[in-house]
Coordinates of all heavy atoms in Angstrom, one line a residue:
M1 N -26.1 -43.6 2.8 CA -26.0 -42.2 2.8 C -24.8 -41.7 3.5 O -24.2 -40.7 3.2 CB -27.3 -41.6 3.3 CG -27.3 -40.1 3.0 SD -27.2 -39.6 1.3 CE -28.9 -39.5 0.9
N2 N -24.4 -42.4 4.6 CA -23.2 -42.0 5.4 C -21.9 -42.2 4.6 O -21.0 -41.4 4.7 CB -23.2 -42.9 6.6 CG -22.2 -42.3 7.7 OD1 -21.8 -41.2 7.5 ND2 -21.9 -43.1 8.7
L3 N -21.8 -43.2 3.7 CA -20.7 -43.4 2.8 C -20.5 -42.2 1.8 O -19.5 -41.7 1.6 CB -20.8 -44.7 2.1 CG -19.6 -45.0 1.1 CD1 -18.3 -45.2 1.9 CD2 -19.9 -46.3 0.3
F4 N -21.7 -41.8 1.3 CA -21.7 -40.7 0.4 C -21.2 -39.4 1.1 O -20.4 -38.6 0.5 CB -23.1 -40.4 -0.2 CG -23.2 -39.3 -1.1 CD1 -22.6 -39.3 -2.4 CD2 -23.8 -38.1 -0.7 CE1 -22.7 -38.2 -3.2 CE2 -23.9 -37.0 -1.5 CZ -23.3 -37.1 -2.8
R5 N -21.6 -39.1 2.3 CA -21.2 -37.9 3.0 C -19.7 -38.0 3.3 O -19.0 -37.0 3.2 CB -22.0 -37.7 4.3 CG -23.4 -37.3 4.0 CD -24.1 -37.1 5.3 NE -25.5 -36.7 5.1 CZ -26.4 -36.6 6.0 NH1 -26.1 -36.9 7.3 NH2 -27.6 -36.3 5.7
S6 N -19.2 -39.1 3.7 CA -17.8 -39.3 4.0 C -16.9 -39.1 2.8 O -15.9 -38.4 2.8 CB -17.5 -40.6 4.6 OG -18.3 -40.8 5.8
T7 N -17.4 -39.7 1.7 CA -16.6 -39.5 0.4 C -16.6 -38.1 0.0 O -15.6 -37.5 -0.5 CB -17.2 -40.4 -0.7 OG1 -17.3 -41.8 -0.2 CG2 -16.4 -40.4 -1.9
A8 N -17.7 -37.4 0.1 CA -17.8 -36.0 -0.3 C -16.9 -35.1 0.5 O -16.3 -34.2 0.1 CB -19.3 -35.5 -0.3
A9 N -16.9 -35.4 1.8 CA -16.1 -34.6 2.7 C -14.6 -34.8 2.4 O -13.8 -33.9 2.4 CB -16.4 -35.0 4.2
V10 N -14.2 -36.0 2.2 CA -12.8 -36.3 1.9 C -12.4 -35.7 0.5 O -11.3 -35.1 0.4 CB -12.6 -37.9 1.8 CG1 -11.2 -38.2 1.2 CG2 -12.7 -38.4 3.2
L11 N -13.3 -35.7 -0.5 CA -13.0 -35.1 -1.7 C -12.9 -33.6 -1.6 O -12.0 -32.9 -2.2 CB -14.0 -35.5 -2.8 CG -13.9 -36.9 -3.4 CD1 -15.1 -37.2 -4.3 CD2 -12.6 -37.0 -4.1
A12 N -13.8 -33.0 -0.8 CA -13.8 -31.5 -0.6 C -12.5 -31.1 0.1 O -11.8 -30.1 -0.3 CB -15.0 -31.1 0.2
L13 N -12.1 -31.8 1.1 CA -10.8 -31.5 1.8 C -9.6 -31.7 1.0 O -8.7 -30.9 1.0 CB -10.7 -32.3 3.1 CG -11.7 -31.9 4.3 CD1 -11.6 -32.9 5.4 CD2 -11.4 -30.5 4.7
T14 N -9.6 -32.7 0.2 CA -8.5 -33.0 -0.7 C -8.3 -31.9 -1.8 O -7.3 -31.4 -2.0 CB -8.6 -34.4 -1.3 OG1 -8.8 -35.4 -0.3 CG2 -7.4 -34.7 -2.2
T15 N -9.5 -31.5 -2.3 CA -9.5 -30.5 -3.3 C -9.0 -29.2 -2.7 O -8.2 -28.4 -3.3 CB -10.9 -30.3 -3.9 OG1 -11.3 -31.6 -4.5 CG2 -10.9 -29.3 -5.1
G16 N -9.5 -28.9 -1.5 CA -9.0 -27.6 -0.9 C -7.6 -27.6 -0.6 O -6.9 -26.6 -0.7
L17 N -7.0 -28.7 -0.1 CA -5.6 -28.8 0.2 C -4.7 -28.8 -1.1 O -3.6 -28.2 -1.1 CB -5.3 -30.1 1.0 CG -5.8 -30.1 2.4 CD1 -5.6 -31.4 3.1 CD2 -5.2 -28.9 3.2
L18 N -5.2 -29.3 -2.2 CA -4.5 -29.3 -3.4 C -4.5 -27.9 -4.0 O -3.6 -27.6 -4.8 CB -5.0 -30.3 -4.4 CG -4.7 -31.8 -4.0 CD1 -5.4 -32.7 -5.0 CD2 -3.2 -32.1 -4.0
A19 N -5.5 -27.1 -3.7 CA -5.5 -25.8 -4.3 C -4.7 -24.8 -3.6 O -4.4 -23.7 -4.1 CB -7.0 -25.3 -4.3
L20 N -4.2 -25.1 -2.4 CA -3.4 -24.1 -1.6 C -2.1 -23.7 -2.3 O -1.8 -22.5 -2.3 CB -3.1 -24.7 -0.2 CG -4.2 -24.7 0.8 CD1 -3.8 -25.4 2.1 CD2 -4.7 -23.3 1.0
P21 N -1.3 -24.6 -2.9 CA -0.1 -24.2 -3.6 C -0.4 -23.2 -4.8 O 0.4 -22.4 -5.1 CB 0.6 -25.4 -4.1 CG 0.0 -26.5 -3.2 CD -1.3 -26.1 -2.8
A22 N -1.5 -23.4 -5.4 CA -1.9 -22.5 -6.5 C -2.2 -21.1 -6.1 O -2.0 -20.1 -6.8 CB -3.1 -23.1 -7.3
Q23 N -2.6 -20.9 -4.8 CA -2.9 -19.6 -4.3 C -1.7 -19.0 -3.6 O -1.8 -17.8 -3.3 CB -4.0 -19.7 -3.2 CG -5.4 -20.2 -3.8 CD -6.4 -20.4 -2.7 OE1 -6.1 -20.3 -1.6 NE2 -7.6 -20.7 -3.2
A24 N -0.7 -19.7 -3.4 CA 0.5 -19.1 -2.8 C 1.2 -18.2 -3.7 O 1.3 -18.4 -4.9 CB 1.5 -20.2 -2.3
E25 N 1.7 -17.0 -3.2 CA 2.4 -16.1 -4.0 C 3.9 -16.4 -4.0 O 4.5 -16.7 -3.0 CB 2.2 -14.7 -3.4 CG 2.9 -13.6 -4.2 CD 2.7 -12.2 -3.5 OE1 1.8 -12.1 -2.7 OE2 3.5 -11.3 -3.9
V26 N 4.5 -16.4 -5.2 CA 5.9 -16.7 -5.3 C 6.7 -15.4 -5.0 O 6.5 -14.4 -5.7 CB 6.2 -17.2 -6.7 CG1 7.7 -17.4 -6.9 CG2 5.4 -18.4 -7.0
M27 N 7.6 -15.5 -4.1 CA 8.4 -14.3 -3.7 C 9.8 -14.5 -4.4 O 10.5 -15.5 -4.1 CB 8.5 -14.2 -2.2 CG 9.4 -13.0 -1.8 SD 9.5 -12.9 0.0 CE 8.5 -11.4 0.2
Q28 N 10.1 -13.6 -5.3 CA 11.4 -13.7 -6.0 C 12.5 -13.1 -5.1 O 12.2 -12.1 -4.4 CB 11.3 -12.9 -7.3 CG 10.3 -13.4 -8.2 CD 10.1 -12.5 -9.4 OE1 10.7 -11.5 -9.5 NE2 9.4 -13.0 -10.4
Q29 N 13.6 -13.6 -5.2 CA 14.8 -13.1 -4.4 C 15.6 -12.2 -5.3 O 15.8 -12.4 -6.5 CB 15.7 -14.2 -3.9 CG 15.1 -15.0 -2.8 CD 15.0 -14.2 -1.5 OE1 15.8 -13.3 -1.2 NE2 13.9 -14.5 -0.7
N30 N 16.0 -11.1 -4.8 CA 16.9 -10.2 -5.6 C 18.4 -10.6 -5.3 O 18.7 -11.5 -4.6 CB 16.7 -8.7 -5.2 CG 16.9 -8.5 -3.7 OD1 17.3 -9.4 -3.0 ND2 16.6 -7.3 -3.2
A31 N 19.3 -9.8 -5.9 CA 20.7 -10.2 -5.8 C 21.2 -10.1 -4.4 O 22.1 -10.8 -3.9 CB 21.5 -9.2 -6.7
S32 N 20.6 -9.1 -3.6 CA 21.1 -9.0 -2.2 C 20.5 -10.0 -1.3 O 21.0 -10.3 -0.2 CB 20.8 -7.6 -1.7 OG 19.4 -7.5 -1.5
G33 N 19.4 -10.7 -1.7 CA 18.7 -11.7 -0.9 C 17.9 -11.1 0.2 O 17.4 -11.8 1.1
D34 N 17.7 -9.8 0.2 CA 16.9 -9.1 1.2 C 15.4 -9.2 0.9 O 14.9 -8.7 -0.1 CB 17.3 -7.6 1.3 CG 16.5 -6.9 2.4 OD1 15.9 -7.5 3.2 OD2 16.6 -5.6 2.4
P35 N 14.6 -10.0 1.7 CA 13.2 -10.2 1.3 C 12.4 -8.9 1.4 O 11.4 -8.7 0.7 CB 12.7 -11.2 2.3 CG 13.7 -11.2 3.4 CD 15.0 -10.7 2.8
L36 N 12.8 -7.9 2.3 CA 12.0 -6.7 2.4 C 12.2 -5.9 1.2 O 11.2 -5.3 0.7 CB 12.6 -5.9 3.6 CG 11.9 -4.6 3.9 CD1 10.4 -4.8 4.2 CD2 12.5 -3.8 5.0
Y37 N 13.4 -5.8 0.6 CA 13.6 -5.1 -0.7 C 12.8 -5.8 -1.8 O 12.2 -5.1 -2.6 CB 15.0 -5.0 -1.0 CG 15.3 -4.4 -2.4 CD1 15.2 -3.0 -2.5 CD2 15.6 -5.1 -3.5 CE1 15.4 -2.4 -3.7 CE2 15.7 -4.5 -4.7 CZ 15.6 -3.2 -4.8 OH 15.8 -2.6 -6.0
T38 N 12.8 -7.1 -1.8 CA 12.1 -7.8 -2.9 C 10.6 -7.6 -2.8 O 9.9 -7.4 -3.8 CB 12.4 -9.3 -2.7 OG1 13.8 -9.5 -2.8 CG2 11.7 -10.1 -3.8
A39 N 10.0 -7.5 -1.6 CA 8.6 -7.3 -1.4 C 8.2 -5.9 -1.9 O 7.1 -5.7 -2.3 CB 8.2 -7.5 0.0
N40 N 9.1 -4.9 -1.7 CA 8.8 -3.5 -2.1 C 9.4 -3.1 -3.4 O 9.4 -2.0 -3.7 CB 9.3 -2.6 -1.0 CG 8.5 -2.7 0.3 OD1 7.4 -3.1 0.3 ND2 9.2 -2.5 1.4
A41 N 10.0 -4.1 -4.1 CA 10.6 -3.7 -5.4 C 9.5 -3.6 -6.5 O 8.9 -4.7 -6.9 CB 11.6 -4.8 -5.8
P42 N 9.1 -2.4 -6.9 CA 8.1 -2.3 -7.9 C 8.6 -2.6 -9.3 O 9.8 -2.5 -9.6 CB 7.7 -0.8 -7.8 CG 8.9 -0.2 -7.2 CD 9.6 -1.2 -6.4
K43 N 7.6 -2.9 -10.2 CA 7.9 -3.1 -11.6 C 8.2 -1.8 -12.3 O 7.9 -0.7 -11.8 CB 6.8 -3.8 -12.3 CG 6.4 -5.1 -11.6 CD 7.4 -6.2 -12.0 CE 6.9 -7.5 -11.5 NZ 7.9 -8.5 -11.4
G44 N 8.8 -1.8 -13.5 CA 9.1 -0.6 -14.2 C 7.9 0.2 -14.6 O 7.8 1.4 -14.6
Y45 N 6.8 -0.5 -15.0 CA 5.6 0.2 -15.4 C 4.9 0.9 -14.2 O 4.3 1.9 -14.3 CB 4.6 -0.7 -16.1 CG 4.1 -1.9 -15.3 CD1 3.0 -1.8 -14.4 CD2 4.7 -3.1 -15.4 CE1 2.6 -2.8 -13.6 CE2 4.3 -4.2 -14.6 CZ 3.2 -4.0 -13.8 OH 2.8 -5.1 -13.0
A46 N 5.1 0.3 -13.0 CA 4.6 1.0 -11.8 C 5.4 2.2 -11.5 O 4.8 3.3 -11.1 CB 4.6 0.0 -10.6
M47 N 6.7 2.2 -11.7 CA 7.5 3.4 -11.5 C 7.2 4.5 -12.5 O 7.1 5.6 -12.2 CB 9.0 3.0 -11.6 CG 9.5 2.2 -10.5 SD 11.3 1.9 -10.8 CE 11.7 1.0 -9.4
L48 N 7.0 4.1 -13.8 CA 6.7 5.0 -14.8 C 5.3 5.7 -14.6 O 5.1 6.9 -14.7 CB 6.7 4.4 -16.2 CG 6.6 5.3 -17.4 CD1 7.7 6.2 -17.4 CD2 6.5 4.5 -18.6
G49 N 4.3 4.9 -14.2 CA 3.0 5.5 -13.9 C 3.0 6.3 -12.7 O 2.3 7.4 -12.6
D50 N 3.8 6.0 -11.7 CA 4.0 6.8 -10.5 C 4.6 8.1 -10.8 O 4.2 9.2 -10.3 CB 4.8 6.0 -9.4 CG 4.7 6.7 -8.1 OD1 3.9 7.6 -7.9 OD2 5.5 6.3 -7.2
L51 N 5.6 8.1 -11.6 CA 6.4 9.3 -12.0 C 5.5 10.3 -12.8 O 5.5 11.5 -12.6 CB 7.6 9.0 -12.8 CG 8.5 10.1 -13.2 CD1 9.1 10.9 -12.1 CD2 9.6 9.6 -14.2
L52 N 4.8 9.7 -13.8 CA 4.0 10.6 -14.7 C 2.6 10.9 -14.3 O 2.1 12.0 -14.7 CB 4.0 9.9 -16.1 CG 5.3 9.6 -16.8 CD1 5.1 8.9 -18.1 CD2 6.0 10.9 -17.0
I53 N 2.0 10.1 -13.5 CA 0.6 10.4 -13.1 C 0.5 10.7 -11.6 O -0.1 11.7 -11.2 CB -0.3 9.1 -13.5 CG1 -0.2 9.0 -15.0 CG2 -1.7 9.4 -13.0 CD1 -0.8 7.7 -15.5
A54 N 0.9 9.7 -10.8 CA 0.6 9.8 -9.4 C 1.4 11.0 -8.7 O 0.8 11.7 -7.9 CB 1.0 8.5 -8.7
R55 N 2.7 11.2 -9.0 CA 3.4 12.2 -8.3 C 2.9 13.6 -8.6 O 2.7 14.4 -7.6 CB 4.9 12.1 -8.6 CG 5.6 10.8 -8.1 CD 5.5 10.8 -6.6 NE 5.9 9.4 -6.1 CZ 7.0 9.2 -5.4 NH1 7.8 10.1 -5.1 NH2 7.2 7.9 -5.0
P56 N 2.6 14.0 -9.8 CA 2.1 15.3 -10.1 C 0.7 15.5 -9.4 O 0.5 16.6 -8.8 CB 1.9 15.4 -11.6 CG 2.9 14.4 -12.1 CD 3.0 13.3 -11.1
L57 N -0.1 14.5 -9.4 CA -1.4 14.6 -8.7 C -1.2 14.7 -7.2 O -1.9 15.5 -6.5 CB -2.3 13.4 -9.0 CG -2.8 13.3 -10.4 CD1 -3.5 12.0 -10.6 CD2 -3.7 14.4 -10.7
L58 N -0.3 14.0 -6.6 CA 0.0 14.1 -5.1 C 0.6 15.5 -4.8 O 0.3 16.0 -3.7 CB 0.9 13.0 -4.7 CG 0.2 11.6 -4.6 CD1 1.2 10.5 -4.4 CD2 -0.8 11.6 -3.5
I59 N 1.5 16.0 -5.6 CA 2.0 17.3 -5.4 C 0.9 18.4 -5.5 O 0.9 19.3 -4.6 CB 3.2 17.6 -6.3 CG1 4.4 16.7 -6.0 CG2 3.6 19.1 -6.3 CD1 5.5 16.7 -7.1
G60 N 0.0 18.2 -6.4 CA -1.1 19.2 -6.5 C -2.0 19.0 -5.3 O -2.5 20.0 -4.8
A61 N -2.2 17.8 -4.8 CA -3.1 17.6 -3.7 C -2.4 18.2 -2.4 O -3.1 18.7 -1.5 CB -3.3 16.1 -3.4
T62 N -1.1 18.2 -2.3 CA -0.4 18.8 -1.2 C -0.6 20.3 -1.3 O -0.8 20.9 -0.2 CB 1.1 18.4 -1.3 OG1 1.2 17.0 -1.3 CG2 1.8 19.0 -0.1
A63 N -0.4 20.9 -2.4 CA -0.6 22.3 -2.6 C -2.0 22.8 -2.3 O -2.3 23.7 -1.5 CB -0.2 22.8 -4.0
I64 N -3.0 22.0 -2.8 CA -4.4 22.4 -2.5 C -4.7 22.1 -1.1 O -5.5 22.9 -0.4 CB -5.3 21.5 -3.4 CG1 -5.2 22.0 -4.9 CG2 -6.8 21.6 -3.0 CD1 -5.9 21.1 -5.9
G65 N -4.2 21.1 -0.5 CA -4.4 20.9 1.0 C -3.8 21.9 1.8 O -4.3 22.3 2.9
A66 N -2.6 22.5 1.4 CA -2.0 23.6 2.1 C -2.9 24.8 2.1 O -3.1 25.5 3.1 CB -0.6 23.9 1.6
V67 N -3.4 25.1 0.9 CA -4.3 26.3 0.8 C -5.6 26.0 1.6 O -6.0 26.9 2.4 CB -4.7 26.5 -0.7 CG1 -5.8 27.5 -0.8 CG2 -3.5 27.0 -1.4
A68 N -6.2 24.8 1.6 CA -7.3 24.5 2.4 C -7.0 24.6 3.9 O -7.9 25.1 4.7 CB -7.9 23.2 2.0
F69 N -5.8 24.2 4.3 CA -5.5 24.3 5.7 C -5.4 25.7 6.1 O -5.9 26.1 7.2 CB -4.1 23.6 5.9 CG -3.6 23.7 7.3 CD1 -4.2 23.0 8.3 CD2 -2.5 24.5 7.5 CE1 -3.7 23.2 9.6 CE2 -2.0 24.6 8.8 CZ -2.6 24.0 9.9
V70 N -4.8 26.6 5.3 CA -4.7 28.0 5.7 C -6.0 28.6 5.8 O -6.3 29.4 6.7 CB -3.7 28.7 4.7 CG1 -3.8 30.2 4.9 CG2 -2.3 28.2 4.9
V71 N -6.9 28.3 4.8 CA -8.3 28.9 4.8 C -9.1 28.4 6.0 O -9.8 29.2 6.7 CB -9.0 28.5 3.5 CG1 -10.5 28.9 3.6 CG2 -8.4 29.3 2.3
S72 N -8.9 27.1 6.4 CA -9.7 26.6 7.5 C -9.0 26.8 8.9 O -9.5 26.4 9.9 CB -9.9 25.1 7.3 OG -8.7 24.4 7.4
L73 N -7.9 27.4 8.9 CA -7.1 27.6 10.1 C -7.9 28.3 11.2 O -7.8 27.8 12.4 CB -5.8 28.3 9.8 CG -4.7 28.3 11.0 CD1 -4.4 26.8 11.3 CD2 -3.5 29.0 10.5
P74 N -8.6 29.4 11.0 CA -9.4 30.0 12.1 C -10.4 29.0 12.7 O -10.6 29.0 13.9 CB -10.1 31.2 11.5 CG -9.3 31.5 10.2 CD -8.7 30.2 9.8
F75 N -11.0 28.2 11.9 CA -12.1 27.3 12.4 C -11.5 26.1 13.1 O -12.0 25.7 14.1 CB -12.9 26.8 11.2 CG -13.5 27.9 10.4 CD1 -13.1 28.2 9.1 CD2 -14.5 28.8 10.9 CE1 -13.6 29.3 8.4 CE2 -15.0 29.8 10.2 CZ -14.6 30.1 8.9
T76 N -10.3 25.6 12.6 CA -9.7 24.5 13.3 C -9.0 25.0 14.6 O -8.9 24.2 15.5 CB -8.6 23.9 12.4 OG1 -7.7 24.8 12.0 CG2 -9.2 23.2 11.2
A77 N -8.6 26.2 14.6 CA -8.1 26.8 15.9 C -9.2 26.9 17.0 O -8.9 26.6 18.1 CB -7.4 28.1 15.7
L78 N -10.4 27.3 16.5 CA -11.5 27.3 17.5 C -11.9 25.9 17.9 O -12.3 25.7 19.1 CB -12.7 28.0 16.8 CG -12.6 29.5 16.6 CD1 -13.8 30.0 15.9 CD2 -12.5 30.2 18.0
G79 N -11.8 24.9 17.0 CA -12.1 23.6 17.4 C -11.0 22.8 18.1 O -11.2 21.8 18.7
G80 N -9.8 23.4 18.1 CA -8.7 22.8 18.8 C -8.1 21.6 18.1 O -7.5 20.7 18.7
N81 N -8.2 21.5 16.8 CA -7.7 20.3 16.1 C -6.8 20.8 14.9 O -6.9 20.3 13.8 CB -8.8 19.4 15.6 CG -9.8 20.1 14.7 OD1 -9.8 21.3 14.6 ND2 -10.6 19.3 14.0
I82 N -5.9 21.7 15.2 CA -5.0 22.2 14.1 C -4.0 21.1 13.7 O -3.8 20.9 12.5 CB -4.2 23.4 14.7 CG1 -5.1 24.6 14.9 CG2 -3.1 23.8 13.7 CD1 -4.4 25.8 15.6
G83 N -3.5 20.3 14.6 CA -2.6 19.2 14.3 C -3.2 18.1 13.4 O -2.6 17.7 12.4
E84 N -4.5 17.8 13.7 CA -5.1 16.7 12.9 C -5.4 17.3 11.5 O -5.3 16.5 10.5 CB -6.5 16.3 13.5 CG -6.3 15.5 14.8 CD -6.3 16.4 16.0 OE1 -6.4 17.6 15.9 OE2 -6.1 15.8 17.1
A85 N -5.8 18.5 11.4 CA -6.1 19.1 10.1 C -4.8 19.2 9.2 O -4.8 18.9 8.0 CB -6.8 20.5 10.2
G86 N -3.7 19.7 9.9 CA -2.5 19.7 9.2 C -2.0 18.4 8.7 O -1.4 18.2 7.6
E87 N -2.2 17.4 9.6 CA -1.7 16.0 9.2 C -2.5 15.5 8.0 O -1.9 15.0 7.1 CB -1.9 15.1 10.4 CG -1.5 13.7 10.2 CD -0.1 13.5 10.3 OE1 0.7 14.3 10.9 OE2 0.4 12.5 9.6
A88 N -3.8 15.7 8.0 CA -4.7 15.1 7.0 C -4.6 15.9 5.7 O -4.6 15.3 4.6 CB -6.1 15.1 7.4
L89 N -4.4 17.2 5.7 CA -4.5 18.1 4.5 C -3.1 18.3 3.9 O -3.0 18.4 2.7 CB -5.1 19.4 4.8 CG -6.6 19.4 5.2 CD1 -7.0 20.8 5.6 CD2 -7.4 18.9 4.0
V90 N -2.0 18.3 4.7 CA -0.7 18.6 4.1 C 0.3 17.5 4.3 O 0.9 17.1 3.3 CB -0.2 19.9 4.8 CG1 1.2 20.3 4.2 CG2 -1.2 21.1 4.7
V91 N 0.4 16.9 5.5 CA 1.5 16.0 5.8 C 1.3 14.7 5.0 O 2.2 14.1 4.4 CB 1.6 15.8 7.3 CG1 2.7 14.7 7.6 CG2 2.0 17.1 8.0
E92 N 0.1 14.1 5.1 CA -0.1 12.8 4.4 C 0.1 12.9 2.9 O 0.8 12.0 2.4 CB -1.5 12.3 4.8 CG -1.6 11.8 6.2 CD -3.0 11.3 6.5 OE1 -3.8 11.2 5.6 OE2 -3.2 11.0 7.7
P93 N -0.5 13.8 2.2 CA -0.2 13.9 0.7 C 1.3 14.2 0.5 O 1.9 13.7 -0.5 CB -1.1 15.0 0.2 CG -2.1 15.2 1.2 CD -1.6 14.8 2.5
G94 N 1.9 15.0 1.3 CA 3.3 15.3 1.2 C 4.2 14.1 1.3 O 5.2 13.9 0.6
K95 N 3.9 13.3 2.3 CA 4.7 12.1 2.5 C 4.5 11.1 1.4 O 5.5 10.5 0.9 CB 4.2 11.4 3.8 CG 4.8 11.9 5.1 CD 4.2 11.3 6.3 CE 5.0 10.1 6.8 NZ 4.4 9.5 8.0
A96 N 3.3 11.0 0.8 CA 3.0 10.2 -0.3 C 3.8 10.7 -1.5 O 4.2 9.9 -2.4 CB 1.6 10.0 -0.6
A97 N 3.9 12.0 -1.7 CA 4.5 12.6 -2.8 C 6.0 12.6 -2.7 O 6.7 12.4 -3.8 CB 4.0 14.0 -3.1
F98 N 6.6 12.8 -1.6 CA 8.0 13.1 -1.5 C 8.8 12.0 -0.7 O 10.0 12.0 -0.9 CB 8.3 14.5 -0.9 CG 7.7 15.6 -1.7 CD1 6.6 16.3 -1.2 CD2 8.3 15.9 -2.9 CE1 6.1 17.3 -2.0 CE2 7.7 16.9 -3.7 CZ 6.7 17.7 -3.2
V99 N 8.2 11.2 0.1 CA 9.0 10.3 0.9 C 8.8 8.9 0.4 O 9.8 8.1 0.5 CB 8.5 10.3 2.4 CG1 9.2 9.3 3.3 CG2 8.7 11.7 3.0
R100 N 7.7 8.5 -0.3 CA 7.5 7.2 -0.8 C 8.5 6.9 -2.0 O 8.7 7.8 -2.8 CB 6.1 7.1 -1.3 CG 5.6 5.8 -1.8 CD 4.1 5.8 -2.0 NE 3.7 6.9 -2.8 CZ 3.5 6.9 -4.1 NH1 3.8 5.8 -4.8 NH2 3.1 7.9 -4.8
C101 N 9.0 5.7 -2.1 CA 9.9 5.4 -3.2 C 9.1 5.3 -4.5 O 7.9 5.1 -4.4 CB 10.6 4.1 -2.9 SG 9.6 2.6 -3.0
L102 N 9.7 5.4 -5.6 CA 9.1 5.5 -6.9 C 8.4 4.1 -7.2 O 9.1 3.1 -7.3 CB 10.1 5.9 -7.9 CG 9.5 6.3 -9.3 CD1 8.7 7.6 -9.1 CD2 10.6 6.6 -10.2
G103 N 7.1 4.1 -7.3 CA 6.4 2.9 -7.6 C 6.0 2.1 -6.4 O 5.2 1.2 -6.5
C104 N 6.4 2.5 -5.2 CA 6.0 1.7 -4.0 C 4.6 2.2 -3.5 O 4.1 3.2 -3.9 CB 7.0 2.0 -2.8 SG 8.6 1.3 -3.1
T105 N 4.0 1.3 -2.7 CA 2.7 1.6 -2.2 C 2.6 2.1 -0.8 O 1.6 2.7 -0.4 CB 1.8 0.3 -2.3 OG1 2.4 -0.7 -1.6 CG2 1.6 -0.1 -3.7
T106 N 3.7 2.0 -0.1 CA 3.8 2.5 1.3 C 4.7 3.7 1.4 O 5.8 3.7 0.7 CB 4.2 1.4 2.3 OG1 5.5 0.9 1.9 CG2 3.2 0.3 2.3
S107 N 4.4 4.6 2.3 CA 5.3 5.8 2.5 C 6.3 5.5 3.6 O 6.1 4.7 4.4 CB 4.4 7.0 2.9 OG 3.6 7.3 1.8
G108 N 7.3 6.2 3.5 CA 8.3 6.1 4.6 C 9.7 5.6 4.1 O 9.8 5.0 3.0
Y109 N 10.7 5.9 4.9 CA 12.0 5.4 4.5 C 12.2 4.0 5.1 O 11.6 3.6 6.1 CB 13.1 6.3 5.2 CG 13.1 7.7 4.6 CD1 12.7 8.8 5.3 CD2 13.5 7.9 3.3 CE1 12.7 10.1 4.8 CE2 13.6 9.2 2.7 CZ 13.2 10.2 3.5 OH 13.2 11.5 3.0
K110 N 13.1 3.3 4.4 CA 13.4 1.9 4.9 C 14.4 2.1 6.1 O 15.5 2.6 5.9 CB 14.0 1.1 3.8 CG 14.4 -0.3 4.3 CD 15.1 -1.1 3.2 CE 15.6 -2.4 3.7 NZ 16.5 -3.0 2.8
R111 N 14.0 1.6 7.2 CA 14.9 1.7 8.4 C 15.3 0.3 8.8 O 14.5 -0.6 9.0 CB 14.1 2.4 9.6 CG 13.9 3.9 9.2 CD 13.4 4.6 10.5 NE 13.3 6.0 10.3 CZ 12.3 6.7 9.8 NH1 11.2 6.0 9.5 NH2 12.3 8.0 9.6
D112 N 16.6 0.1 9.0 CA 17.1 -1.2 9.5 C 17.2 -1.3 11.0 O 17.3 -0.4 11.7 CB 18.5 -1.5 8.9 CG 18.3 -1.7 7.4 OD1 17.3 -2.2 6.9 OD2 19.3 -1.4 6.6

């Protein structure tokens, strides 16, 4: 029985090690060779979907959030969390709508 367990353990480890390259993600290099740009370079369909669907929804969410922020301003002032409410209702959707690159998943400018 000990030989069977050893053989099974060796086969399981070998199979697991051989499966690792299949799970690795292939990172393509762009013309500049910058891996950060390559990791954030979205496909064309992602850009198109972002332009036609996500951006109008995010702009609408920013406008609705601004209205909700103004309506809730007296209550947030009493609670002392005006900054957090403004950040959650207006700034975050605004950053996602206006600062994020077209088709990217993270907001913000690329800083070197």
Side-chain angles (χ1 to χ4, degrees):
M1 189 57 94
N2 196 9
L3 178 64
F4 177 73
R5 286 183 185 171
S6 300
T7 306
V10 168
L11 284 175
L13 288 173
T14 305
T15 304
L17 289 175
L18 289 175
L20 286 177
Q23 295 176 356
E25 181 181 344
V26 176
M27 181 178 250
Q28 300 173 351
Q29 289 291 329
N30 57 4
S32 68
D34 184 10
L36 181 63
Y37 176 76
T38 304
N40 291 330
K43 303 283 186 201
Y45 60 85
M47 290 182 176
L48 188 62
D50 192 12
L51 178 68
L52 297 177
I53 298 169
R55 295 297 168 114
L57 290 174
L58 286 168
I59 292 170
T62 304
I64 292 170
V67 170
F69 174 71
V70 170
V71 169
S72 69
L73 193 58
F75 307 109
T76 56
L78 289 173
N81 59 347
I82 295 174
E84 292 89 0
E87 180 78 26
L89 293 174
V90 181
V91 175
E92 287 179 9
K95 278 174 93 174
F98 298 110
V99 179
R100 183 172 51 93
C101 72
L102 196 62
C104 292
T105 56
T106 57
S107 296
Y109 294 111
K110 178 183 171 189
R111 292 189 170 92
D112 290 331

